[in-house]
């Protein structure tokens, strides 16, 4: 179920420089939201197209999303204050698949890709979580993930906090010593490529959420088409409607 709704902003916090944690009120979206789905948000001003932002958490009539200011749309969104209204369409997209027989899941996220993984991690309850950031000043949500996972490992590309290096390498080191039967991931393309390779070399099923640029958000405009391979046949899928979550072997991760 998806719908357009004008929702009141009830919580707002800047959790790192230029990264805003918003909670809006919506009983319908909170009840319908699945892990990995997103909202399509009208940011106002002259930004005609809505901007996709993942649902970070949803319960009890409240929907939380966290975003980094990148361009005009997110800059306008960040100016909203508590009590203001935000026009959203959602929940949209095909989210993460949670399978009952998965016993040792890994969740791995990088940068703004960590946000759609929080509700998932809460639901899994026993995930080993890897979170990667550029440097110490960009580290967010560590305590929150820690509280809902078996273990959370944080790393930074420049070594200023936690594991020193790319977070996919930390995951690879962990996999040399530990079992895993499902990887869930979201983050920048180089990280997703590394995660896909590591998972496929080891035969571990891997779900990847793609944060492609998109237009309409509902499968009509093809702006977010990505190359996919299903049953050996190459074709294009729409990230907004067929994704954003795909199994790694279904997608070709081009630049
Ligand atoms: C399914 C999905 C879920 C997303 N979830 C989140 C989220 O939870 N939190 C969050 O901060 N961001 C998320 N994004 C990215 C977010 O949609 C973009 O950062 C936002 O649309 C940029 O809009 P803007 O008007 O501020 O910037 P624009 O003026 O449109 O662009 C500014 C800069 O951002 C880059 N950019 C634009 N779109 C994207 C994108 N999709 N990915 C990476 N870079 C982009 C542009 O190349 C440009 O350099 C998500 C994207 C998708 C597709």
């Amino acid at each position: 179920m998806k719908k357009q709704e004008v929702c009141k902003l009830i919580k707002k916090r800047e959790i790192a420089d230029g990264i805003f944690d918003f909670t809006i009120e919506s009983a319908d979206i909170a009840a319908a939201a699945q892990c990995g789905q997103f909202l399509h948000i009208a940011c106002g001003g002259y930004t005609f197209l809505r901007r996709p932002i993942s649902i970070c958490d949803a319960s009890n009539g409240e929907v939380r999303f966290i975003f980094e200011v990148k361009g005009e749309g997110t800059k306008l969104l960040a100016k909203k204050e508590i009590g203001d209204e935000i026009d959203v369409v959602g929940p949209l997209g095909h989210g993460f698949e949670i399978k009952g027989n998965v016993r040792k899941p890994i969740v791995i996220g990088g940068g703004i890709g960590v946000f759609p993984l929080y509700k998932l991690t809460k639901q899994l309850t026993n995930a080993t979580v890897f979170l990667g950031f550029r440097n110490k000043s960009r580290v967010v949500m560590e305590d929150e993930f820690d509280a809902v996972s078996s273990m959370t490992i944080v790393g930074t590309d420049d070594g200023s906090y936690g594991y020193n290096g790319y977070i996919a390498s930390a995951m690879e080191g962990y996999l040399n010593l530990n079992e895993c039967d499902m990887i869930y991931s979201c983050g920048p393309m180089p990280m997703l490529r590394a995660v896909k390779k590591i998972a496929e070399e080891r035969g571990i099923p891997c779900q990847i959420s793609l944060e492609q640029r998109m237009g309409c958000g509902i499968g009509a405009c093809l702006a977010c088409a990505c190359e996919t391979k299903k049953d050996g046949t190459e074709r294009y899928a729409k990230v907004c409607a067929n994704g954003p979550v795909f199994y790694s072997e279904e997608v070709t991760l081009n630049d």
Side-chain angles (χ1 to χ4, degrees), residues 2 36-38 40 52 91-95 210 212-226 237-246:
K2 62 188 167 222
Q37 287 189 302
F38 65 95
H40 222 194
L92 293 178
H94 170 84
L210 296 178
Q212 206 99 346
R213 294 211 75 164
M214 58 177 67
C216 71
I218 54 168
C221 77
L222 304 181
C224 63
C226 74
K238 302 162 195 166
V239 172
C240 67
N242 306 113
V245 179
F246 296 90

Side-chain angles (χ1 to χ4, degrees), residues 5 7-11 22-27 29-30 39 41 61-65 84-86 88:
E5 198 178 329
C7 305
K8 191 185 275 184
L9 177 63
I10 54 170
K11 290 179 205 158
F22 275 21
T23 300
I24 55 173
E25 239 172 12
S26 171
I29 298 174
L39 300 173
I41 303 181
E62 298 186 359
V63 183
R64 180 180 178 199
F65 57 92
D84 285 353
E85 290 183 328
I86 302 181
V88 306

Side-chain angles (χ1 to χ4, degrees), residues 38 43 47 50-55 65-75 112 115-116 209-214 239 244:
F38 65 95
C43 298
T47 57
R50 290 171 179 271
R51 301 301 196 257
I53 303 288
S54 302
I55 293 170
F65 57 92
I66 305 183
F67 63 96
E68 181 170 19
V69 173
K70 284 272 173 74
E72 204 52 41
T74 45
K75 198 191 290 176
I112 58 170
F115 306 134
S209 180
L210 296 178
E211 299 204 328
Q212 206 99 346
R213 294 211 75 164
M214 58 177 67
V239 172

Side-chain angles (χ1 to χ4, degrees), residues 54 68 70 108-117 130-135 138 155-157 165-169 184-198 206-213 251-255:
S54 302
E68 181 170 19
K70 284 272 173 74
I108 176 164
I112 58 170
V114 308
F115 306 134
L117 301 173
F130 294 86
L131 305 177
F133 302 93
R134 281 202 306 275
N135 58 51
R138 310 313 287 164
T156 48
D157 300 350
Y166 293 130
I167 202 65
S169 309
Y184 301 90
S185 65
C186 185
M189 202 49 95
M191 186 204 96
L192 294 181
R193 267 191 222 113
V195 170
K196 174 177 159 78
K197 183 165 179 283
I198 294 164
C206 175
Q207 298 180 44
I208 287 180
S209 180
L210 296 178
E211 299 204 328
Q212 206 99 346
R213 294 211 75 164
V251 283
T252 314
L253 300 177
N254 297 322
D255 283 322

Side-chain angles (χ1 to χ4, degrees), residues 8-228:
K8 191 185 275 184
L9 177 63
I10 54 170
K11 290 179 205 158
K12 172 184 179 180
R13 204 158 59 93
E14 189 168 4
I15 57 172
D17 191 26
I19 300 183
F20 290 86
D21 184 345
F22 275 21
T23 300
I24 55 173
E25 239 172 12
S26 171
D28 289 348
I29 298 174
Q34 309 278 316
C35 313
Q37 287 189 302
F38 65 95
L39 300 173
H40 222 194
I41 303 181
C43 298
Y46 63 83
T47 57
F48 170 71
L49 291 173
R50 290 171 179 271
R51 301 301 196 257
I53 303 288
S54 302
I55 293 170
C56 174
D57 202 4
S59 61
N60 302 324
E62 298 186 359
V63 183
R64 180 180 178 199
F65 57 92
I66 305 183
F67 63 96
E68 181 170 19
V69 173
K70 284 272 173 74
E72 204 52 41
T74 45
K75 198 191 290 176
L76 284 166
L77 193 59
K79 289 194 176 135
K80 299 272 187 189
E81 296 299 343
I82 290 173
D84 285 353
E85 290 183 328
I86 302 181
D87 179 339
V88 306
V89 175
L92 293 178
H94 170 84
F96 291 104
E97 195 173 81
I98 298 183
K99 291 190 166 173
N101 59 349
V102 170
R103 306 180 72 82
K104 295 180 187 302
I106 282 181
V107 168
I108 176 164
I112 58 170
V114 308
F115 306 134
L117 301 173
Y118 180 62
K119 183 171 161 58
L120 169 77
T121 305
K122 266 171 90 173
Q123 218 154 309
L124 291 170
T125 70
N126 64 340
T128 300
V129 175
F130 294 86
L131 305 177
F133 302 93
R134 281 202 306 275
N135 58 51
K136 190 178 178 183
S137 73
R138 310 313 287 164
V139 175
V140 287
M141 295 193 81
E142 179 182 7
D143 292 346
E144 286 189 86
F145 274 97
D146 202 34
V148 296
S149 62
S150 292
M151 175 167 69
T152 292
I153 294 133
V154 172
T156 48
D157 300 350
D158 69 354
S160 51
Y161 185 78
Y163 174 83
N164 181 355
Y166 293 130
I167 202 65
S169 309
M171 182 188 80
E172 191 169 25
Y174 173 88
L175 284 172
N176 289 335
L177 302 169
N178 297 277
E179 287 177 19
C180 166
D181 50 4
M182 180 70 77
I183 298 175
Y184 301 90
S185 65
C186 185
M189 202 49 95
M191 186 204 96
L192 294 181
R193 267 191 222 113
V195 170
K196 174 177 159 78
K197 183 165 179 283
I198 294 164
E200 289 174 3
E201 277 170 1
R202 289 161 198 261
I204 303 170
C206 175
Q207 298 180 44
I208 287 180
S209 180
L210 296 178
E211 299 204 328
Q212 206 99 346
R213 294 211 75 164
M214 58 177 67
C216 71
I218 54 168
C221 77
L222 304 181
C224 63
C226 74
E227 240 177 87
T228 63

